[in-house]
Amino acid sequence: KENINPKAKFYKIDIQSPKISQIFKTEKPEIVFHIAAQINVRESVKNPIEDAKINILGSLNIIQSFYQNLSSNNKKSKIIFTSTGGAIYGDAKIIPTPETYLEFPLSPYGIAKLSVEKYLNYYLNIFKLPYIALRLGNVYGPKQNSKGEAGVIAIFCDKMISGKQPFINGSGRQTRDFVFVKDVVDAAVLAMKNKKSGVFNIGTGKETDINTIFRKLKKLIGANCKEIHNPRKQGEQKRSCLDYKKAKKELKWIPKYDLDKGLKETVEWFKNRN
């Protein structure tokens, strides 16, 4: 809560709640940034029904409430949806992976995000409600929650700084496209201002394995921990890396943070917090 802008009106409510519609009726927003979700891929594998309730039905509740309460003369209305680039393509044979690649998610989380994209496309074509789905890489940076199972950089930072032993799942050779949170915010703002609709990859076009992340963070923090590997987690992809040429061309977006710069800023925040 302390991160919420004091100028913002805050409603603490589940996106599945039937009361959501009343909020839209009262506030009549022009733009919706739909960022709420069950965020853990592994949790979706353990409990796909709960994941679908939140990430599909909850999202549909937001979209439908937005559409039903739009004023007829609103020309700026749009939904910006935070989808996933990391989980939507599966283990792609083209790296970096473009938006034209056939989606083949290997987790209920990825399936749910793709489902919402299809619903958004339905609302665009049938009801003329514009949207942009940002297929994000692995987002990291200051303020990320380190207490769950998602967000490997936040988890490693927290454990290394507090002198605890972090663990790497599997071989650690699985790769991800790590994109800094400030770059993601820039992409969302550009998506709001752009008149286009559709899906856009938001990543760096560079894949980094988990072992490299571990070693970079250990060096930055000066941590005294060993590189210990746990068994591989079920449903985890081997490789993920996004081609962002479309976002560069149509949204005029490029990532400003390379991995070293982003990790340094992230580590500084975690150190100051502890």
Side-chain angles (χ1 to χ4, degrees), residues 183-197:
D183 284 329
V184 173
V185 172
D186 285 347
V189 172
L190 288 168
M192 174 184 71
K193 293 174 180 175
N194 198 289
K195 290 181 180 176
K196 288 185 165 54
S197 281

Side-chain angles (χ1 to χ4, degrees), residues 186-220:
D186 285 347
V189 172
L190 288 168
M192 174 184 71
K193 293 174 180 175
N194 198 289
K195 290 181 180 176
K196 288 185 165 54
S197 281
V199 298
F200 291 87
N201 285 339
I202 301 298
T204 66
K206 294 174 183 172
E207 54 181 331
T208 307
D209 69 33
I210 307 304
N211 292 334
T212 300
I213 293 292
F214 183 96
R215 290 160 196 165
K216 280 180 179 289
L217 287 173
K218 183 178 174 179
K219 189 177 177 183
L220 268 173

Side-chain angles (χ1 to χ4, degrees), residues 122-139:
Y122 157 72
Y123 276 86
L124 171 70
N125 283 284
I126 304 303
F127 303 115
K128 306 292 181 263
L129 180 62
Y131 79 95
I132 282 183
L134 300 174
R135 291 180 174 174
L136 307 179
N138 282 60
V139 186

Side-chain angles (χ1 to χ4, degrees), residues 19-212:
K19 294 177 183 174
I20 287 281
S21 185
Q22 187 56 49
I23 296 171
F24 278 88
K25 194 174 181 180
T26 303
E27 299 295 341
K28 293 216 173 340
E30 290 182 339
I31 305 284
V32 171
F33 291 92
H34 176 25
I35 306 170
Q38 189 296 107
I39 61 169
N40 195 328
V41 174
R42 289 173 210 139
E43 198 57 45
S44 80
V45 172
K46 276 192 234 166
N47 199 340
I49 293 172
E50 189 61 26
D51 182 80
K53 281 180 182 173
I54 299 167
N55 288 358
I56 298 177
L57 295 181
S59 295
L60 197 49
N61 193 26
I62 296 288
I63 300 164
Q64 179 72 357
S65 297
F66 183 37
Y67 170 68
Q68 284 181 331
N69 293 290
L70 276 177
S71 57
S72 56
N73 61 350
N74 192 338
K75 305 294 183 200
K76 294 181 183 175
S77 60
K78 191 172 205 175
I79 294 184
I80 315 298
F81 173 57
T82 47
S83 187
T84 174
I88 221 161
Y89 299 111
D91 280 314
K93 296 199 166 47
I94 298 172
I95 298 284
T97 312
E99 293 87 347
T100 51
Y101 192 87
L102 181 66
E103 305 95 343
F104 211 92
L106 296 174
S107 64
Y109 173 83
I111 294 166
K113 290 287 193 179
L114 182 57
S115 299
V116 177
E117 287 187 10
K118 301 300 183 191
Y119 274 112
L120 286 166
N121 194 53
Y122 157 72
Y123 276 86
L124 171 70
N125 283 284
I126 304 303
F127 303 115
K128 306 292 181 263
L129 180 62
Y131 79 95
I132 282 183
L134 300 174
R135 291 180 174 174
L136 307 179
N138 282 60
V139 186
Y140 72 99
K143 301 182 183 176
Q144 188 168 25
N145 179 12
S146 59
K147 303 305 177 193
E149 286 188 22
V152 66
I153 290 174
I155 293 165
F156 283 177
C157 280
D158 200 27
K159 288 192 180 295
M160 286 181 185
I161 290 166
S162 57
K164 294 173 186 169
Q165 176 64 53
F167 297 97
I168 298 167
N169 293 321
S171 68
R173 289 194 293 271
Q174 61 271 34
T175 65
R176 298 292 181 264
D177 188 336
F178 291 98
V179 58
F180 194 61
V181 64
K182 288 182 181 177
D183 284 329
V184 173
V185 172
D186 285 347
V189 172
L190 288 168
M192 174 184 71
K193 293 174 180 175
N194 198 289
K195 290 181 180 176
K196 288 185 165 54
S197 281
V199 298
F200 291 87
N201 285 339
I202 301 298
T204 66
K206 294 174 183 172
E207 54 181 331
T208 307
D209 69 33
I210 307 304
N211 292 334
T212 300

